[in-house]
Amino acid sequence: MLKWIKRIIIVVLSIILIGFIIPQKLKMPVVGADSNSYNHNTFWHEGWGSSVVHKGVDVFAKKGTSVHSSTKGIVLATSEGNKSGKFVLILGPKWRIHYYAHLDEIKTKRFAFVNQDTEIGTVGNTGNAANTPAHLHYAIATPIPYTWRIDNAPLGWQKMFYLNPIDYLSK
């Protein structure tokens, strides 16, 4: 029992430190990918099936290509969902949630500490991407609104809780 309490304290302190101390410097999560590996106009693209809008970017690569964490952080969840297929959620600096979906294979565990050299999975086409070329769906959500702007786009009010990962990957 004491072991679990210590682990919980370490996780809570880590979450606090990650939010305040670690600088956010993002790296392309798909090994070998560059700005030619994704469409620069897909963030918040309308008419995206049952999701209504596309809240991230799809980075295309050969199935099985290594996916690394784009930032330092702690793995909050690994699972297999309906639309997302196999996915990993990582809490990074500024308490931002980094979402890696459609993975072929998950190579990390919940509560693992990761950095940009940590392989968290491989590119795939699981979930609702089963009939598409292999890719990583990468999104960044923030619990603290990034902007208070609400626009006329579908689900425009939600836009304040998502960052355009393309802005960070292009740097």
Side-chain angles (χ1 to χ4, degrees), residues 24 26 42-44 54-57 93-99 137-147 149 158-169:
Q24 177 174 275
L26 302 184
T42 57
F43 177 72
W44 223 263
H54 194 240
K55 299 175 184 87
V57 63
K94 300 183 181 182
W95 298 297
R96 292 178 175 165
I97 308 295
H98 298 261
Y99 173 66
H137 174 82
Y138 176 58
I140 306 169
T142 178
I144 302 164
Y146 176 69
T147 176
R149 182 188 67 166
Q158 288 184 8
K159 206 170 188 180
M160 68 180 136
F161 295 102
Y162 289 89
L163 302 177
N164 183 350
I166 296 167
D167 294 343
Y168 297 93
L169 298 178

Side-chain angles (χ1 to χ4, degrees), residues 5 23 35 38 58 72 88 100 106 108 119 132 161 168-169:
I5 293 171
S35 63
Y38 56 87
D58 292 339
K72 293 178 181 177
V88 174
Y100 306 82
I106 295 172
T108 189
E119 183 180 33
T132 67
F161 295 102
Y168 297 93
L169 298 178

